[in-house]
Amino acid sequence: MAEKPTWGRYNQLHPAQLAAIRAAIPVIYLPWGSLMWHGPHLPFGLDTLVIEAMAERAVQRTGGVLLPTMNWASDGIPHPENLTFNPTTLNLVLDDLLGQLAATGWRVIVLLNGHYGYSHDRLMMEAARRALHQHQVLVLAITPLTLVDEAMLDHGGLWGTSLLLALRPDLVDLERLGDQPLQPETSGVVGRDPRYTAAATLGSSALNLAVERIVVAVQDLVKRNDPAQLIALYEQRHERYQALLARYGSDPAEVTARWWAALTQGE
């Protein structure tokens, strides 16, 4: 008799396999990336490629099921080639997805966010809290690097570039940044200059640390089955954003654009 799998990809599992994994380990991962400009040196799918890798490594450790990655962020640094949902659409999609997953018996939903935009992160957390109250399902909505060090949350910079060098070095072209001082509006880089310090070894270390923190958090949720730790996490993240809200407003459709305008104008 074939050994029962402890994890699998939702789109590759037969119904009996899916049911068996859910009965044993009721944890499902939903990685969420973006199709977003990160400068001339990185692909539009940077967030997706990184969060898929983190989710796959984590589910192999904890067990459970891995859903296909969603690519639709709600905000981002302005660029005509970005593909995004407006906040209302994203809310509807999140509520539908989380509600369906709760209804079919998943007890822990791991919503891994690969896109660091404030509005997107906030919408993820709010959807997680709604699902907790409406469906009594534990939803861990987290940007994994926040579990390691928030200084790693750059845009096209040292950490994002290093992560992709570890995963897909063929998709990184640092020469496209040239040799002049970087300007955010043309380079897309917010954070440390990746040209001279980005490395696959740094990316591998960051990836391993993030996965380890995800695994610990998920295992703790499964063991304790306690929503209090999630509520505390979301309150902490909300407090973290208060200074940003005070300066740029709370409209999720406008806050990132206002922040970017201030950054590029040197304010």
Side-chain angles (χ1 to χ4, degrees), residues 183-185 244 247-248 255 257-267:
Q183 302 299 323
E185 60 267 31
L244 189 73
R247 183 170 183 183
Y248 301 112
V255 62
R258 291 173 180 168
W259 165 79
W260 180 248
L263 178 71
T264 55
Q265 293 166 16
E267 298 179 10

Side-chain angles (χ1 to χ4, degrees), residues 87 118-119 122 245 248-256 258:
Y118 157 72
S119 296
R122 182 184 176 193
L245 289 171
Y248 301 112
S250 58
D251 185 344
E254 298 292 337
V255 62
T256 300
R258 291 173 180 168

